[in-house]
């Protein structure tokens, strides 16, 4: 489903050359529940951005379902992203002028399929236990509640792939456990493929496959 081949990405900071990804090879099969664990600055977020075609590697190829992401047009890439994958970013990135419900529904605005997903959006908000906040605005929510909204939004288009960057980073232990249970349910019941990056070994252990990233080098555990 996802195939990275000899991916490298470097940044120049001052006079220093930082290796964010160093000859990374990775295959993620359909239905995988995979985590990449590593300290801050290890390159794991950059790698996730490369998988999602938000960052272009210096060298190497990224294929999803056999399609080389950097061989298609921007419009085709946007359509592929919208149909196949969704992101849970390290920060909630909610639109402040939209309500909670409208934020969850936002990805549907970019879909060619005009399907009313209000009921599903409310069901997702119920799954993350924030349905009663549907008509509130992000400024009226705590950081943890905003994170739950972002998690609900990630599933609104029923993606085949979810790319999650520290998805439980600002949640308490109880909510963290609930979200991981939701992820497993989506993985087992709907076959959603998860690629999750985290600094938490406890979160990583809950995944079916674990990799560690250190100074841009990825290795299985």
């Amino acid at each position: 489903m996802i195939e990275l081949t000899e991916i490298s990405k470097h940044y120049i900071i001052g006079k220093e050359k930082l290796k964010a990804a160093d000859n990374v090879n990775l295959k993620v099969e359909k239905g995988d529940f995979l985590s990449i664990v590593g300290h801050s600055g290890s390159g794991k977020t950059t790698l996730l951005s490369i998988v999602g075609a938000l960052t272009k590697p210096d060298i190497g190829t990224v294929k999803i379902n056999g399609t080389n992401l950097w061989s298609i047009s921007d419009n085709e890439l946007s359509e592929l992203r919208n149909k196949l994958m969704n992101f849970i970013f390290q920060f909630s990135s909610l639109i402040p002028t939209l309500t909670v419900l409208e934020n969850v529904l936002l990805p549907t605005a970019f879909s060619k399929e005009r399907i009313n997903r209000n009921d599903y959006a409310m069901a997702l908000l119920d799954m993350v236990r924030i349905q009663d906040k549907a008509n509130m605005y992000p400024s009226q929510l705590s950081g943890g509640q905003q994170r739950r909204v972002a998690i609900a939004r990630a599933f609104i288009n029923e993606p085949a792939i979810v790319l999650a960057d520290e998805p439980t980073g600002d949640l308490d232990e109880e909510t963290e456990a609930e979200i991981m249970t939701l992820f497993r349910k989506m993985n087992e019941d709907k076959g959603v493929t998860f690629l999750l990056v985290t600094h938490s070994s406890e979160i990583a252990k809950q995944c079916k496959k674990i990799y560690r990233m250190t100074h841009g080098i990825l290795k299985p555990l």
Side-chain angles (χ1 to χ4, degrees), residues 40-55:
S40 178
S42 61
K44 58 189 188 300
T45 293
T46 294
L47 189 63
L48 198 70
S49 295
I50 289 172
V51 173
L54 299 177
T55 300

Side-chain angles (χ1 to χ4, degrees), residues 100-138:
V100 164
L101 179 59
E102 288 167 342
N103 266 285
V104 173
L105 287 167
L106 185 60
T108 66
F110 305 103
S111 175
K112 291 182 179 179
E113 299 177 8
R114 295 303 177 190
I115 301 173
N116 189 321
R117 290 187 177 268
N118 283 44
D119 290 345
Y120 186 50
M122 290 300 292
L124 288 169
L125 288 172
D126 188 44
M127 287 181 193
V128 297
R129 298 178 63 185
I130 202 170
Q131 189 180 38
D132 60 325
K133 305 289 193 288
N135 294 317
M136 291 186 175
Y137 290 88

Side-chain angles (χ1 to χ4, degrees), residues 3-19:
E3 185 174 3
L4 307 185
T5 305
E6 297 180 353
I7 291 292
S8 289
K9 180 67 179 180
H10 303 88
Y11 296 103
I12 302 297
I13 300 178
K15 295 182 179 180
E16 184 178 355
K17 189 176 184 179
L18 175 66
K19 293 182 178 180

Side-chain angles (χ1 to χ4, degrees), residues 210-214 217-221:
I210 308 172
Y211 285 75
R212 178 174 293 281
M213 198 156 193
T214 307
I217 297 173
L218 187 71
K219 292 183 179 181
L221 290 179

Side-chain angles (χ1 to χ4, degrees), residues 67-165:
T67 299
N68 184 342
L69 299 188
W70 300 107
S71 68
I72 58 179
S73 69
D74 288 344
N75 286 340
E76 290 172 321
L77 186 55
S78 295
E79 187 174 350
L80 182 146
R81 278 203 208 98
N82 193 260
K83 283 184 175 181
L84 285 182
M85 69 177 77
N86 219 326
F87 297 83
I88 302 172
F89 295 104
Q90 195 166 356
F91 302 101
S92 299
S93 303
L94 302 181
I95 306 299
T97 56
L98 300 182
T99 66
V100 164
L101 179 59
E102 288 167 342
N103 266 285
V104 173
L105 287 167
L106 185 60
T108 66
F110 305 103
S111 175
K112 291 182 179 179
E113 299 177 8
R114 295 303 177 190
I115 301 173
N116 189 321
R117 290 187 177 268
N118 283 44
D119 290 345
Y120 186 50
M122 290 300 292
L124 288 169
L125 288 172
D126 188 44
M127 287 181 193
V128 297
R129 298 178 63 185
I130 202 170
Q131 189 180 38
D132 60 325
K133 305 289 193 288
N135 294 317
M136 291 186 175
Y137 290 88
S139 62
Q140 297 173 291
L141 306 181
S142 68
Q145 289 170 334
Q146 291 183 30
R147 174 55 59 114
R148 293 191 216 185
V149 177
I151 289 169
R153 181 179 60 189
F155 295 104
I156 190 64
N157 277 345
E158 300 185 87
I161 303 165
V162 168
L163 306 175
D165 187 2

Side-chain angles (χ1 to χ4, degrees), residues 181-198:
T181 297
L182 171 62
F183 287 178
R184 285 194 296 272
K185 180 176 176 61
M186 289 291 190
N187 175 252
E188 293 167 5
D189 294 355
K190 296 196 173 187
V192 178
T193 301
F194 282 84
L195 179 53
L196 182 155
V197 304
T198 180

